[in-house]
Amino acid sequence: MSRLFRTATSPHVTTSNSVTRVMMTVFLALIPGIATYVWLFGWGVVINILFAILVALVCEGGMLWLRKRPLKPFLSDGSAVVTATLLALTIPPLSPWWITLIGVGFAIIVGKHLYGGLGYNPFNPAMLGYVLLLVSFPREMTSWLPVITFSQHPLDFTQSLSYILGGHLPPGLTIDALSEATPLDSLKNNLRQGNTIAEIRAQLGLDDATSRMLSIIPIFGNFGGKGWEWVNFAYLLGGLFLIWRRIIGWQIPVAMLASLAGMSLIFYGVNGNAYVSPMFHLFAGATMLGAFFIATDPVTAATSVQGRLVYGAGIGILVYIIRVWGGYPDAVAFSVLLMNMTVPLIDARFKPRVFGHLK
Amino acid sequence: MADFRAITRQGLWANNPALVQILGMCPLLAVTTTVVNGLGLGLATMVTLVLSNGTVSIIRDWLKPEIRIPVFVMVIAAIVTAIELAMNAYVHDLYLALGIFIPLIVTNCSIIARAEAFASKNALLPSMLDGFMMGLGFTLVLVVLGSMREILGQGTWMADAHILFGEAARSWKVTVIDDYKGFLLAILPPGAFIGLGVLIAIKNVIDARGAKAVRQMPEPIVAGAEAEARA
């Protein structure tokens, strides 16, 4: 064939998009969030991520070998690395190594490969792994750390490594002494005890110096959950970068954040003493990580523009419902998995109009 | 004359109620948190199957086809009620542990399926054997699944055996993994679904291997000789 007629049919304009490039951009966009997370919560995060990536690559390679698929293209596409990183970001910074091993192993082997590998999994693998861990090991999965400046005994890199890999803490310390409830968890417990938001804010929203003097772990920061507001902010920046690079569409994050903010605004407006402000919901827990990095997974999310709006809004509403009235303090993983289930229905209902056909 | 070996093979492997027919899932998934619970419910189901298949087989010639299903259900319900009362009397702790799942044996599809598919067309002895083998196949799956979930979930095997076998069995408990923190997922409902999926997958792999081995066997010489003789 002559060079002249090489592009006979559309599309005529192509980009250099590939799975590897998408995954690497996602990873790049996670870096501000990871850096903030490490800065505020210590080195355990990095150790978890590196170990999770190692486990993911071993599991991925093993499953590809068992399924008689070529190793190199799938191992180097970066999808396992991103799954492992996302999962590692959702578990407490000081999690024993077997938590990461079981979670990532389940995510890759059951969540991804048993369904047919990348592109065939109906559920977000990282969230499957997280939910498995959360329902199986409630104690380990709720041992969160306070912001490092409020910690009585902040651990350095080698101490974190020694706990994660060997279970050894410096003498005189236990994981129970180190860990603290997250802002969302603490808020939920306080509300359950019948305290009003104003009372909680008076006690747990003090400035840093006073809190430290009274050895209180504050839960209210400048605009969101203490510490978590900055982690969420960094994820938001990374997410905006992804939208700008056209790696993800704006519909899912916008719909999810808008519905979460809308729900919380309604209840905050009705009774500001029993329901916390929208800003707290947006900048606490896994909101931003979920909105930009987890709900937007191209495999498990809805595909059409309208469908994505519905899908994102569903996640936001579910997150609010479970956070406020459910048993768990945060709910991004459950909401994403529940909405993953509805994706075939959403995709069938909101089909884009085919060019040339009337509605 | 029914082939007893074929009935046995059907019940235990080829047409296993749990692994192939996927019937009776409700009790299968709900009570297999421990071996003893699984075994208890499996035995109760097995006894029900033998008695209901036997009864249905005896009355099969008098049944009008239009009303056969209500009759089957009444027969099964009567038998299950008797078994429930007996369990309440003799293995009361197990009765409490299994709770609603004993009366629910009435609705276990595998029982009415055997009444409809086998007992209503066959003589008494093959029907009872079919009930026994189907029940045994069901029980084996319950025990294997119960073992998987109990070992993974709490690190023990045959815990609380005394509720089925009496006080002497209290010491039968085997601690498989010392100082085990527990893996709640295995005890929770998802563990049952995943465990059953794994069992079905293992069975399918074994069947596929078997089919492959048969295909690869050289043609029997007898067949060639017969073919020549016929030609």
Side-chain angles (χ1 to χ4, degrees):
Chain A
M1 194 190 280
S2 72
R3 281 176 65 94
L4 196 59
F5 298 112
R6 188 181 272 173
T7 52
T9 60
S10 64
H12 300 289
V13 181
T14 56
T15 66
S16 57
N17 249 343
S18 68
V19 176
T20 312
R21 189 173 150 270
V22 169
M23 292 297 170
M24 283 305 118
T25 316
V26 171
F27 194 83
L28 196 69
L30 276 170
I31 284 177
I34 296 174
T36 319
Y37 196 9
V38 174
W39 175 51
L40 288 167
F41 292 93
W43 285 107
V45 182
V46 179
I47 302 168
N48 280 345
I49 292 175
L50 292 178
F51 184 62
I53 291 175
L54 178 75
V55 174
L57 289 177
V58 170
C59 289
E60 178 93 0
M63 285 309 283
L64 287 170
W65 179 73
L66 277 176
R67 294 178 58 217
K68 302 187 178 65
R69 294 290 194 281
L71 284 181
K72 193 157 169 286
F74 287 110
L75 272 182
S76 62
D77 71 9
S79 61
V81 172
V82 168
T83 299
T85 311
L86 288 174
L87 182 59
L89 288 174
T90 58
I91 62 177
L94 279 187
S95 294
W97 60 272
W98 48 267
I99 286 274
T100 313
L101 179 77
I102 293 173
V104 176
F106 188 80
I108 298 288
I109 294 171
V110 178
K112 186 176 175 188
H113 278 287
L114 289 193
Y115 284 108
L118 183 69
Y120 294 94
N121 46 315
F123 296 104
N124 188 315
M127 290 302 98
L128 272 187
Y130 172 79
V131 165
L132 170 104
L133 293 174
L134 186 63
V135 300
S136 301
F137 310 107
R139 192 164 159 272
E140 283 78 8
M141 289 298 285
T142 50
S143 297
W144 291 91
L145 299 182
V147 180
I148 209 157
T149 50
F150 291 97
S151 175
Q152 305 285 334
H153 312 277
L155 298 188
D156 62 20
F157 183 82
T158 39
Q159 286 168 331
S160 303
L161 190 69
S162 135
Y163 179 71
I164 290 172
L165 295 184
H168 305 299
L169 283 170
L173 280 182
T174 61
I175 189 70
D176 291 335
L178 282 175
S179 59
E180 279 295 332
T182 60
L184 279 171
D185 200 7
S186 184
L187 177 77
K188 191 170 199 124
N189 286 333
N190 273 290
L191 285 172
R192 270 204 195 124
Q193 286 159 15
N195 300 334
T196 64
I197 299 282
E199 284 167 1
I200 302 168
R201 195 177 274 281
Q203 201 190 355
L204 299 171
L206 300 169
D207 63 288
D208 289 4
T210 323
S211 299
R212 211 168 288 134
M213 204 174 69
L214 300 169
S215 59
I216 288 172
I217 309 289
I219 66 170
F220 289 101
N222 298 322
F223 50 95
K226 188 76 195 175
W228 293 96
E229 56 191 0
W230 296 113
V231 180
N232 271 286
F233 186 72
Y235 287 138
L236 171 65
L237 291 182
L240 294 176
F241 170 73
L242 284 184
I243 292 180
W244 175 60
R245 297 298 299 160
R246 304 254 178 134
I247 298 294
I248 58 173
W250 58 269
Q251 294 92 352
I252 292 173
V254 167
M256 176 181 157
L257 297 176
S259 64
L260 178 59
M263 287 285 283
S264 45
L265 192 64
I266 294 170
F267 285 94
Y268 180 63
V270 170
N271 184 356
N273 248 340
Y275 300 97
V276 78
S277 74
M279 280 304 271
F280 191 84
H281 275 292
L282 289 180
F283 289 94
T287 308
M288 294 296 170
L289 181 71
F292 290 99
F293 294 93
I294 290 167
T296 53
D297 172 20
V299 177
T300 58
T303 44
S304 68
V305 171
Q306 282 177 315
R308 283 176 177 176
L309 288 173
V310 173
Y311 173 79
I315 294 175
I317 292 168
L318 281 172
V319 167
Y320 190 77
I321 291 173
I322 301 176
R323 270 187 188 177
V324 175
W325 297 290
Y328 285 95
D330 203 356
V332 172
F334 291 110
S335 311
V336 167
L337 290 181
L338 283 170
M339 287 311 286
N340 281 165
M341 266 186 246
T342 69
V343 161
L345 205 66
I346 294 177
D347 276 345
R349 174 67 187 78
F350 297 102
K351 276 183 191 157
R353 193 175 64 91
V354 177
F355 184 72
H357 285 253
L358 292 175
K359 197 131 187 111
Chain B
M1 183 67 203
D3 183 353
F4 286 174
R5 278 185 61 178
I7 293 174
T8 307
R9 198 183 135 66
Q10 287 284 317
L12 294 186
W13 186 261
N15 208 8
N16 185 299
L19 295 183
V20 181
Q21 304 177 48
I22 322 281
L23 290 176
M25 288 297 104
C26 167
L28 182 88
L29 297 171
V31 303
T32 50
T33 47
T34 64
V35 179
V36 174
N37 284 356
L39 184 62
L41 192 90
L43 292 176
T45 310
M46 187 165 86
V47 175
T48 312
L49 263 167
V50 173
L51 294 179
S52 75
N53 264 12
T55 316
V56 167
S57 174
I58 294 171
I59 62 173
R60 70 184 193 278
D61 292 335
W62 300 310
L63 272 181
K64 288 198 186 304
E66 296 84 2
I67 55 154
R68 67 187 193 285
I69 298 289
V71 173
F72 293 163
V73 173
M74 283 201 292
V75 166
I76 296 166
I79 291 165
V80 171
T81 307
I83 289 173
E84 187 193 358
L85 291 172
M87 286 179 80
N88 195 354
Y90 296 107
V91 281
H92 186 67
D93 287 330
L94 183 68
Y95 171 82
L96 291 179
L98 294 179
I100 186 69
F101 292 101
I102 304 172
L104 274 181
I105 295 175
V106 177
T107 61
N108 187 325
C109 307
S110 61
I111 294 170
I112 201 157
R114 291 329 288 173
E116 166 77 9
F118 196 94
S120 62
K121 297 166 192 159
N122 286 284
L124 176 65
L125 212 55
S127 294
M128 289 184 75
L129 183 73
D130 178 74
F132 178 73
M133 286 304 166
M134 286 286 164
L136 192 63
F138 189 67
T139 308
L140 286 176
V141 175
L142 282 168
V143 168
V144 173
L145 191 58
S147 308
M148 283 165 59
R149 292 179 69 188
E150 189 180 337
I151 292 171
L152 262 179
Q154 54 192 51
T156 61
W157 194 69
M158 288 292 272
D160 297 328
H162 62 279
I163 66 174
L164 180 59
F165 298 104
E167 280 307 309
R170 209 177 263 279
S171 56
W172 291 3
K173 176 174 154 180
V174 182
T175 306
V176 181
I177 311 166
D178 280 324
D179 194 25
Y180 189 55
K181 287 181 177 172
F183 183 50
L184 264 177
L185 186 93
I187 308 270
L188 293 171
F193 282 100
I194 297 171
L196 182 68
V198 169
L199 286 182
I200 293 174
I202 292 172
K203 181 188 179 292
N204 288 349
V205 167
I206 294 173
D207 281 351
R209 291 248 166 95
K212 209 172 165 188
V214 169
R215 251 184 278 126
Q216 283 172 348
M217 262 200 300
E219 282 287 310
I221 299 163
V222 180
E226 269 178 11
E228 270 171 33
R230 251 185 243 132

Short mmCIF file of all heavy atoms in Angstrom, two decimals, chain B residues 50-93:
data_model
loop_
_atom_site.label_atom_id
_atom_site.label_comp_id
_atom_site.label_asym_id
_atom_site.label_seq_id
_atom_site.Cartn_x
_atom_site.Cartn_y
_atom_site.Cartn_z
N VAL B 50 -33.76 -39.30 52.42
CA VAL B 50 -34.03 -40.75 52.36
C VAL B 50 -35.50 -41.01 52.62
O VAL B 50 -36.17 -41.73 51.85
CB VAL B 50 -33.15 -41.49 53.40
CG1 VAL B 50 -33.55 -42.96 53.47
CG2 VAL B 50 -31.68 -41.34 53.05
N LEU B 51 -36.05 -40.40 53.68
CA LEU B 51 -37.45 -40.66 54.04
C LEU B 51 -38.41 -40.09 53.00
O LEU B 51 -39.39 -40.74 52.62
CB LEU B 51 -37.74 -40.07 55.42
CG LEU B 51 -36.97 -40.73 56.58
CD1 LEU B 51 -37.31 -40.06 57.89
CD2 LEU B 51 -37.27 -42.22 56.64
N SER B 52 -38.13 -38.86 52.51
CA SER B 52 -39.08 -38.27 51.56
C SER B 52 -39.03 -39.02 50.23
O SER B 52 -40.07 -39.30 49.62
CB SER B 52 -38.79 -36.78 51.37
OG SER B 52 -37.64 -36.60 50.58
N ASN B 53 -37.82 -39.39 49.78
CA ASN B 53 -37.74 -40.17 48.53
C ASN B 53 -38.45 -41.50 48.69
O ASN B 53 -39.17 -41.94 47.78
CB ASN B 53 -36.26 -40.41 48.18
CG ASN B 53 -35.75 -39.38 47.20
OD1 ASN B 53 -36.41 -38.37 46.95
ND2 ASN B 53 -34.58 -39.63 46.64
N GLY B 54 -38.26 -42.14 49.85
CA GLY B 54 -38.92 -43.42 50.08
C GLY B 54 -40.44 -43.27 50.05
O GLY B 54 -41.14 -44.01 49.34
N THR B 55 -40.95 -42.27 50.78
CA THR B 55 -42.40 -42.08 50.85
C THR B 55 -42.97 -41.76 49.47
O THR B 55 -43.98 -42.34 49.04
CB THR B 55 -42.73 -40.93 51.83
OG1 THR B 55 -41.94 -41.09 52.99
CG2 THR B 55 -44.19 -40.91 52.18
N VAL B 56 -42.32 -40.83 48.80
CA VAL B 56 -42.82 -40.44 47.47
C VAL B 56 -42.82 -41.63 46.53
O VAL B 56 -43.75 -41.84 45.74
CB VAL B 56 -41.99 -39.27 46.91
CG1 VAL B 56 -42.28 -39.05 45.44
CG2 VAL B 56 -42.25 -38.00 47.71
N SER B 57 -41.77 -42.45 46.63
CA SER B 57 -41.68 -43.61 45.75
C SER B 57 -42.83 -44.58 46.02
O SER B 57 -43.41 -45.15 45.08
CB SER B 57 -40.34 -44.30 45.96
OG SER B 57 -40.30 -45.48 45.23
N ILE B 58 -43.20 -44.76 47.30
CA ILE B 58 -44.29 -45.68 47.64
C ILE B 58 -45.63 -45.17 47.09
O ILE B 58 -46.41 -45.93 46.51
CB ILE B 58 -44.39 -45.86 49.17
CG1 ILE B 58 -43.13 -46.58 49.68
CG2 ILE B 58 -45.63 -46.66 49.55
CD1 ILE B 58 -43.04 -46.60 51.18
N ILE B 59 -45.87 -43.87 47.25
CA ILE B 59 -47.19 -43.35 46.87
C ILE B 59 -47.24 -42.90 45.41
O ILE B 59 -48.24 -42.34 44.96
CB ILE B 59 -47.62 -42.17 47.79
CG1 ILE B 59 -46.65 -41.01 47.64
CG2 ILE B 59 -47.75 -42.61 49.23
CD1 ILE B 59 -47.09 -39.77 48.38
N ARG B 60 -46.16 -43.11 44.64
CA ARG B 60 -46.09 -42.48 43.32
C ARG B 60 -47.19 -42.96 42.38
O ARG B 60 -47.63 -42.20 41.51
CB ARG B 60 -44.72 -42.70 42.69
CG ARG B 60 -44.43 -44.15 42.25
CD ARG B 60 -43.00 -44.24 41.74
NE ARG B 60 -42.76 -45.49 41.04
CZ ARG B 60 -42.48 -46.64 41.65
NH1 ARG B 60 -42.42 -46.69 42.97
NH2 ARG B 60 -42.26 -47.73 40.95
N ASP B 61 -47.66 -44.20 42.53
CA ASP B 61 -48.66 -44.70 41.59
C ASP B 61 -50.05 -44.13 41.85
O ASP B 61 -50.92 -44.17 40.97
CB ASP B 61 -48.71 -46.23 41.67
CG ASP B 61 -47.42 -46.82 41.12
OD1 ASP B 61 -46.78 -46.13 40.29
OD2 ASP B 61 -47.05 -47.93 41.54
N TRP B 62 -50.29 -43.62 43.06
CA TRP B 62 -51.63 -43.07 43.37
C TRP B 62 -51.72 -41.58 43.14
O TRP B 62 -52.77 -40.98 43.32
CB TRP B 62 -52.00 -43.38 44.83
CG TRP B 62 -52.02 -44.84 45.11
CD1 TRP B 62 -52.66 -45.77 44.38
CD2 TRP B 62 -51.37 -45.51 46.18
NE1 TRP B 62 -52.46 -47.01 44.90
CE2 TRP B 62 -51.66 -46.88 46.03
CE3 TRP B 62 -50.59 -45.12 47.24
CZ2 TRP B 62 -51.18 -47.85 46.89
CZ3 TRP B 62 -50.11 -46.07 48.11
CH2 TRP B 62 -50.40 -47.43 47.93
N LEU B 63 -50.59 -40.97 42.82
CA LEU B 63 -50.56 -39.51 42.70
C LEU B 63 -51.11 -39.05 41.36
O LEU B 63 -50.73 -39.58 40.33
CB LEU B 63 -49.13 -39.00 42.82
CG LEU B 63 -48.63 -38.70 44.22
CD1 LEU B 63 -47.21 -38.19 44.13
CD2 LEU B 63 -49.52 -37.72 44.92
N LYS B 64 -52.03 -38.05 41.41
CA LYS B 64 -52.41 -37.42 40.16
C LYS B 64 -51.34 -36.37 39.85
O LYS B 64 -50.91 -35.63 40.74
CB LYS B 64 -53.76 -36.73 40.32
CG LYS B 64 -54.90 -37.72 40.40
CD LYS B 64 -56.20 -37.02 40.12
CE LYS B 64 -57.39 -37.92 40.33
NZ LYS B 64 -57.36 -39.15 39.55
N PRO B 65 -50.91 -36.29 38.59
CA PRO B 65 -49.83 -35.37 38.26
C PRO B 65 -50.15 -33.92 38.62
O PRO B 65 -49.25 -33.16 38.98
CB PRO B 65 -49.68 -35.50 36.75
CG PRO B 65 -50.41 -36.73 36.37
CD PRO B 65 -51.37 -37.08 37.45
N GLU B 66 -51.45 -33.54 38.55
CA GLU B 66 -51.79 -32.13 38.79
C GLU B 66 -51.49 -31.71 40.23
O GLU B 66 -51.21 -30.55 40.47
CB GLU B 66 -53.28 -31.87 38.50
CG GLU B 66 -53.69 -32.08 37.06
CD GLU B 66 -54.00 -33.54 36.75
OE1 GLU B 66 -53.93 -34.40 37.66
OE2 GLU B 66 -54.30 -33.84 35.57
N ILE B 67 -51.60 -32.63 41.17
CA ILE B 67 -51.45 -32.22 42.57
C ILE B 67 -50.17 -32.77 43.19
O ILE B 67 -50.02 -32.78 44.40
CB ILE B 67 -52.66 -32.67 43.42
CG1 ILE B 67 -52.88 -34.18 43.27
CG2 ILE B 67 -53.91 -31.91 43.04
CD1 ILE B 67 -53.56 -34.79 44.47
N ARG B 68 -49.25 -33.25 42.34
CA ARG B 68 -48.10 -33.95 42.93
C ARG B 68 -47.23 -33.01 43.78
O ARG B 68 -46.74 -33.41 44.83
CB ARG B 68 -47.26 -34.62 41.84
CG ARG B 68 -46.56 -33.66 40.91
CD ARG B 68 -45.90 -34.37 39.76
NE ARG B 68 -44.98 -33.48 39.07
CZ ARG B 68 -45.35 -32.50 38.26
NH1 ARG B 68 -46.63 -32.28 38.01
NH2 ARG B 68 -44.45 -31.73 37.69
N ILE B 69 -47.06 -31.75 43.33
CA ILE B 69 -46.14 -30.86 44.07
C ILE B 69 -46.66 -30.59 45.49
O ILE B 69 -45.89 -30.73 46.45
CB ILE B 69 -45.93 -29.56 43.28
CG1 ILE B 69 -45.28 -29.86 41.91
CG2 ILE B 69 -45.06 -28.57 44.07
CD1 ILE B 69 -43.85 -30.27 41.94
N PRO B 70 -47.96 -30.22 45.66
CA PRO B 70 -48.43 -30.04 47.04
C PRO B 70 -48.27 -31.30 47.88
O PRO B 70 -47.92 -31.20 49.08
CB PRO B 70 -49.92 -29.69 46.87
CG PRO B 70 -50.05 -29.18 45.49
CD PRO B 70 -48.99 -29.82 44.68
N VAL B 71 -48.48 -32.44 47.28
CA VAL B 71 -48.32 -33.68 48.05
C VAL B 71 -46.87 -33.85 48.47
O VAL B 71 -46.57 -34.17 49.63
CB VAL B 71 -48.82 -34.88 47.23
CG1 VAL B 71 -48.50 -36.19 47.95
CG2 VAL B 71 -50.31 -34.77 46.97
N PHE B 72 -45.95 -33.62 47.53
CA PHE B 72 -44.52 -33.72 47.88
C PHE B 72 -44.20 -32.78 49.05
O PHE B 72 -43.53 -33.16 50.00
CB PHE B 72 -43.63 -33.30 46.69
CG PHE B 72 -43.68 -34.23 45.52
CD1 PHE B 72 -43.22 -33.82 44.28
CD2 PHE B 72 -44.15 -35.53 45.65
CE1 PHE B 72 -43.24 -34.66 43.19
CE2 PHE B 72 -44.19 -36.39 44.56
CZ PHE B 72 -43.73 -35.95 43.33
N VAL B 73 -44.70 -31.56 48.94
CA VAL B 73 -44.36 -30.57 49.97
C VAL B 73 -44.90 -31.02 51.32
O VAL B 73 -44.22 -30.91 52.34
CB VAL B 73 -44.90 -29.17 49.58
CG1 VAL B 73 -44.69 -28.20 50.74
CG2 VAL B 73 -44.19 -28.66 48.35
N MET B 74 -46.13 -31.57 51.32
CA MET B 74 -46.69 -32.00 52.61
C MET B 74 -45.91 -33.17 53.18
O MET B 74 -45.65 -33.23 54.39
CB MET B 74 -48.17 -32.36 52.44
CG MET B 74 -49.03 -31.11 52.37
SD MET B 74 -50.72 -31.43 52.77
CE MET B 74 -51.24 -32.44 51.41
N VAL B 75 -45.53 -34.10 52.32
CA VAL B 75 -44.72 -35.24 52.79
C VAL B 75 -43.43 -34.73 53.41
O VAL B 75 -43.05 -35.09 54.54
CB VAL B 75 -44.43 -36.19 51.62
CG1 VAL B 75 -43.34 -37.18 52.00
CG2 VAL B 75 -45.69 -36.91 51.19
N ILE B 76 -42.75 -33.83 52.67
CA ILE B 76 -41.46 -33.32 53.15
C ILE B 76 -41.65 -32.53 54.45
O ILE B 76 -40.89 -32.69 55.41
CB ILE B 76 -40.80 -32.43 52.07
CG1 ILE B 76 -40.48 -33.28 50.83
CG2 ILE B 76 -39.54 -31.78 52.60
CD1 ILE B 76 -40.14 -32.46 49.61
N ALA B 77 -42.71 -31.72 54.50
CA ALA B 77 -42.94 -30.91 55.70
C ALA B 77 -43.18 -31.80 56.91
O ALA B 77 -42.67 -31.53 58.01
CB ALA B 77 -44.13 -29.97 55.49
N ALA B 78 -43.95 -32.87 56.72
CA ALA B 78 -44.21 -33.78 57.84
C ALA B 78 -42.92 -34.40 58.33
O ALA B 78 -42.65 -34.46 59.54
CB ALA B 78 -45.21 -34.86 57.40
N ILE B 79 -42.10 -34.85 57.40
CA ILE B 79 -40.83 -35.50 57.79
C ILE B 79 -39.92 -34.51 58.50
O ILE B 79 -39.33 -34.82 59.55
CB ILE B 79 -40.15 -36.09 56.54
CG1 ILE B 79 -40.97 -37.27 56.01
CG2 ILE B 79 -38.73 -36.52 56.85
CD1 ILE B 79 -40.61 -37.68 54.62
N VAL B 80 -39.82 -33.28 57.95
CA VAL B 80 -38.93 -32.29 58.56
C VAL B 80 -39.41 -31.92 59.95
O VAL B 80 -38.61 -31.77 60.88
CB VAL B 80 -38.81 -31.04 57.66
CG1 VAL B 80 -38.07 -29.92 58.39
CG2 VAL B 80 -38.07 -31.39 56.39
N THR B 81 -40.73 -31.82 60.12
CA THR B 81 -41.26 -31.50 61.45
C THR B 81 -40.86 -32.59 62.44
O THR B 81 -40.42 -32.28 63.57
CB THR B 81 -42.79 -31.38 61.40
OG1 THR B 81 -43.12 -30.45 60.37
CG2 THR B 81 -43.34 -30.88 62.71
N ALA B 82 -40.97 -33.85 62.02
CA ALA B 82 -40.59 -34.95 62.91
C ALA B 82 -39.10 -34.86 63.25
O ALA B 82 -38.70 -35.00 64.42
CB ALA B 82 -40.90 -36.28 62.24
N ILE B 83 -38.28 -34.57 62.24
CA ILE B 83 -36.83 -34.47 62.48
C ILE B 83 -36.52 -33.29 63.40
O ILE B 83 -35.68 -33.39 64.31
CB ILE B 83 -36.09 -34.35 61.14
CG1 ILE B 83 -36.16 -35.68 60.40
CG2 ILE B 83 -34.63 -33.93 61.35
CD1 ILE B 83 -35.61 -35.64 59.01
N GLU B 84 -37.22 -32.18 63.19
CA GLU B 84 -36.98 -31.01 64.03
C GLU B 84 -37.29 -31.32 65.48
O GLU B 84 -36.51 -30.99 66.38
CB GLU B 84 -37.84 -29.85 63.52
CG GLU B 84 -37.53 -28.55 64.23
CD GLU B 84 -38.57 -27.48 63.99
OE1 GLU B 84 -39.52 -27.74 63.21
OE2 GLU B 84 -38.44 -26.40 64.56
N LEU B 85 -38.44 -32.01 65.71
CA LEU B 85 -38.81 -32.35 67.09
C LEU B 85 -37.78 -33.30 67.69
O LEU B 85 -37.37 -33.15 68.85
CB LEU B 85 -40.21 -32.97 67.12
CG LEU B 85 -41.34 -31.98 66.79
CD1 LEU B 85 -42.66 -32.72 66.66
CD2 LEU B 85 -41.44 -30.91 67.86
N ALA B 86 -37.32 -34.25 66.87
CA ALA B 86 -36.33 -35.21 67.37
C ALA B 86 -35.03 -34.49 67.73
O ALA B 86 -34.41 -34.78 68.76
CB ALA B 86 -36.07 -36.29 66.32
N MET B 87 -34.61 -33.55 66.87
CA MET B 87 -33.37 -32.83 67.16
C MET B 87 -33.52 -31.97 68.41
O MET B 87 -32.60 -31.87 69.21
CB MET B 87 -32.98 -31.95 65.97
CG MET B 87 -32.42 -32.75 64.81
SD MET B 87 -32.00 -31.72 63.40
CE MET B 87 -30.43 -31.08 63.92
N ASN B 88 -34.69 -31.38 68.55
CA ASN B 88 -34.94 -30.57 69.75
C ASN B 88 -34.80 -31.42 71.01
O ASN B 88 -34.31 -30.97 72.04
CB ASN B 88 -36.33 -29.94 69.64
CG ASN B 88 -36.53 -28.82 70.64
OD1 ASN B 88 -35.66 -28.58 71.47
ND2 ASN B 88 -37.66 -28.15 70.56
N ALA B 89 -35.22 -32.68 70.88
CA ALA B 89 -35.21 -33.56 72.05
C ALA B 89 -33.83 -34.12 72.33
O ALA B 89 -33.39 -34.15 73.48
CB ALA B 89 -36.21 -34.70 71.86
N TYR B 90 -33.11 -34.55 71.29
CA TYR B 90 -31.88 -35.32 71.53
C TYR B 90 -30.60 -34.52 71.35
O TYR B 90 -29.60 -34.81 71.97
CB TYR B 90 -31.86 -36.56 70.63
CG TYR B 90 -32.98 -37.51 70.95
CD1 TYR B 90 -34.07 -37.66 70.11
CD2 TYR B 90 -32.94 -38.24 72.14
CE1 TYR B 90 -35.11 -38.51 70.43
CE2 TYR B 90 -33.98 -39.10 72.48
CZ TYR B 90 -35.07 -39.23 71.61
OH TYR B 90 -36.07 -40.06 71.94
N VAL B 91 -30.57 -33.55 70.43
CA VAL B 91 -29.35 -32.73 70.27
C VAL B 91 -29.77 -31.27 70.39
O VAL B 91 -29.69 -30.49 69.44
CB VAL B 91 -28.63 -33.01 68.92
CG1 VAL B 91 -27.82 -34.28 69.01
CG2 VAL B 91 -29.61 -33.08 67.78
N HIS B 92 -30.18 -30.91 71.60
CA HIS B 92 -30.81 -29.61 71.78
C HIS B 92 -29.88 -28.45 71.45
O HIS B 92 -30.29 -27.46 70.84
CB HIS B 92 -31.31 -29.47 73.22
CG HIS B 92 -32.10 -28.23 73.45
ND1 HIS B 92 -33.33 -28.03 72.87
CD2 HIS B 92 -31.82 -27.10 74.14
CE1 HIS B 92 -33.78 -26.83 73.22
NE2 HIS B 92 -32.89 -26.25 73.99
N ASP B 93 -28.58 -28.56 71.81
CA ASP B 93 -27.65 -27.47 71.54
C ASP B 93 -27.48 -27.25 70.04
O ASP B 93 -27.42 -26.11 69.57
CB ASP B 93 -26.28 -27.76 72.17
CG ASP B 93 -26.35 -27.61 73.68
OD1 ASP B 93 -27.18 -26.80 74.14
OD2 ASP B 93 -25.60 -28.31 74.38
#
